[in-house]
Amino acid sequence: MDIGIDLGTSEVKVVLVDDAQRVVGQAHSAVLISRLQPLWSEQNPHDWWAATVDALAQLRVAHPQAFAAVRGLGLSGQMHGATLLDANNNVLRPAILWNDGRSHAQCAELEQRAPDSRRITGNIAMPGFTAPKLLWVEQHEPEIFARTARVLLPKDYLRLRLTGEAVSDMSDSAGTLWLDVAKREWSNAMLDATHLKRSHMPRLVEGSEASGTVLPKVAAQLGLPANVIVAGGAGDNAASAAGIGVAAPGTAFLSLGTSGVFFVANAAFSPNPARAVHAFCHAFPGTWHQMTVMLTAASALRWLRNATNAESEAQLVAEAQALPEGTAVPIFLPYLSGERTPHNDPHASGVFFGLTHDHGRGHLAQAVLEGVAFAFLDGQQALLDGGARIDTVTLVGGGSRSAPWAQVLADTLARTLDRRSGADVGAALGAARLARLARTNERVADVCTAPPMLDSFTPRTARTDLLAGRHRQFQRLYGALKSEMALTPPG
């Protein structure tokens, strides 16, 4: 029996998984975000621990016998957050989260200090990453920086509370900009650029390796058995991949959530920072992954629902489906929150192009479905340009429940997309699977299997050809409007 703990931005989610890989129980506990100033996003690490204790208590009450049989525990979490501790492991300030944007200037400074940063880390320096946050702290809170003895990622703070050990895994650490991602070790050059040393960093393990055991006093507090092994774990996307069987090179998942992610497992480090592709270590030894991120995906349809007073997003999709075959619809640029891959453009904004008196809400809905798919196609091309091999793709996320949207994506990407059962459990299930690997030393291929298939969506050649032409126009429109977007203040 294993437990997976996923520390998300809004909640801690825990799952209890038996030896047959059935999810026996789940529990959640909310965590609040503090936004004291524009661009700031912070959380109190003590709140993470309190929410974890609460969620595990719920699980213990609901499933006492299974809880008592737990032998492994895995951790997943929101990436990039900077948790600063003093020499006695006391928290020095609220953690600065992945979606905090205050360190834009420090990103440029970091790349100037470390000219080889993109080669070493495989990524463009962005405010979401951890290292620029420490430059900001050094410049704006020097007394805090001077007292900082250790920097931990969010899930690794939970590990410290559980085991007393300062440890991180490769996949999460790859998102700090301190890791030499190809070598899977801390980079002295990147640490020097932020005036830190290896002593500030946790010990590194693979995600499927043991990182320690739960302390006896903590086990007693939580009601866990003695000597529960804690796995290295993973960042949230790598853990989600473990949960849905995206482990072997060439396997991939596409997440149609509030934002969008296209994640593919690789046999080698394959960076493409020029196209804003993230290249990270995977949760398993000798495996890496590439990932594209689009900032607005399913949330674009939610925005249209609110803007047009539609009853639901399903109604919008139905109205789009009711359009006669061959109906002309506008082109939609889905950059409602700027864009990351492939443009890395915070000034990018949303656009409907080609509106006429003949267009109604259904036409706008179809344009949104296609526009989000076009942005994913941009991401797919960036992955392929970076050396990715994509053999199979599992479609996940809230938007994936829409079969018509899934078909639009398949047609646009010219690629079969599979939907699988249990994909919603995601990162917490992946963390539990990593716990099992850490305590049993089984083969990754035997544990991190794909859930049963629900259905598949196969591209239709005629639609793919039509959408390819519209995608080329989509790309030309962004190119033509980019300079104007930069001159237009948001809001």
Side-chain angles (χ1 to χ4, degrees), residues 40 42 82-85 92-96 100 102-103 106 109 130-148 151 178 194-196:
W40 287 30
E42 300 181 337
T83 310
L84 309 187
L85 308 178
L92 291 171
R93 69 173 323 284
I96 306 175
D100 187 288
R102 75 184 75 177
S103 59
Q106 286 74 27
E109 183 175 351
T130 320
K133 296 174 171 58
L134 268 291
L135 284 183
W136 185 93
V137 172
E138 182 182 27
Q139 294 167 10
H140 294 271
E141 298 175 351
E143 71 289 350
I144 296 292
F145 186 85
R147 293 173 59 197
T148 298
V151 184
W178 287 311
T194 51
H195 300 153
L196 296 173

Side-chain angles (χ1 to χ4, degrees), residues 393-405:
V393 182
T394 297
L395 183 61
V396 302
S400 70
R401 290 191 287 268
S402 169
W405 206 349

Side-chain angles (χ1 to χ4, degrees), residues 170 184 206-209 282-288 437 444:
M170 301 297 178
R184 302 172 91 93
E206 295 290 347
S208 53
E209 289 183 313
H282 206 337
F284 316 108
T287 311
W288 287 258
L437 288 168
V444 171

Side-chain angles (χ1 to χ4, degrees), residues 321-328 460 462-463 466:
Q321 286 292 104
L323 296 174
E325 185 72 24
T327 299
R460 300 168 295 184
R463 287 293 298 166
L466 174 65

Side-chain angles (χ1 to χ4, degrees), residues 170-347:
M170 301 297 178
S171 72
D172 213 358
S173 296
T176 63
L177 293 184
W178 287 311
L179 196 75
D180 186 319
V181 178
K183 296 180 180 179
R184 302 172 91 93
E185 64 180 30
W186 296 120
S187 164
N188 291 331
M190 296 308 299
L191 290 169
D192 289 346
T194 51
H195 300 153
L196 296 173
K197 301 176 181 178
R198 288 197 178 214
S199 60
H200 289 94
M201 297 293 107
R203 176 169 60 89
L204 290 169
V205 299
E206 295 290 347
S208 53
E209 289 183 313
S211 66
T213 56
V214 177
L215 293 166
K217 64 179 181 180
V218 177
Q221 174 192 359
L222 300 175
L224 287 168
N227 300 316
V228 171
I229 292 173
V230 179
D236 49 6
N237 282 297
S240 294
I244 58 175
V246 176
T251 57
F253 74 78
L254 188 153
S255 177
L256 184 58
T258 298
S259 57
V261 171
F262 204 149
F263 177 114
V264 58
N266 306 118
F269 177 47
S270 305
N272 186 9
R275 299 289 302 281
V277 172
H278 298 316
F280 295 148
C281 302
H282 206 337
F284 316 108
T287 311
W288 287 258
H289 74 82
Q290 293 166 295
M291 182 172 68
T292 70
V293 178
M294 50 186 293
L295 300 179
T296 301
S299 54
L301 199 62
R302 184 166 62 248
W303 165 81
L304 184 65
R305 180 199 69 195
N306 294 333
T308 61
N309 294 315
E311 292 182 7
S312 66
E313 286 142 64
Q315 179 190 15
L316 289 174
V317 174
E319 291 178 2
Q321 286 292 104
L323 296 174
E325 185 72 24
T327 299
V329 298
I331 296 283
F332 176 63
L333 305 187
Y335 308 135
L336 301 178
S337 300
E339 190 55 295
R340 188 170 296 181
T341 308
H343 306 307
N344 189 30
D345 184 359
H347 303 292

Side-chain angles (χ1 to χ4, degrees), residues 415-452:
R415 191 175 295 280
T416 298
L417 302 178
D418 302 324
R419 294 195 298 188
R420 298 181 177 276
S421 64
D424 57 324
V425 183
L429 174 59
R433 287 179 161 188
L434 293 171
R436 175 169 172 163
L437 288 168
R439 68 176 175 82
T440 66
N441 292 317
E442 293 174 88
R443 294 173 62 244
V444 171
D446 294 333
V447 174
C448 296
T449 55

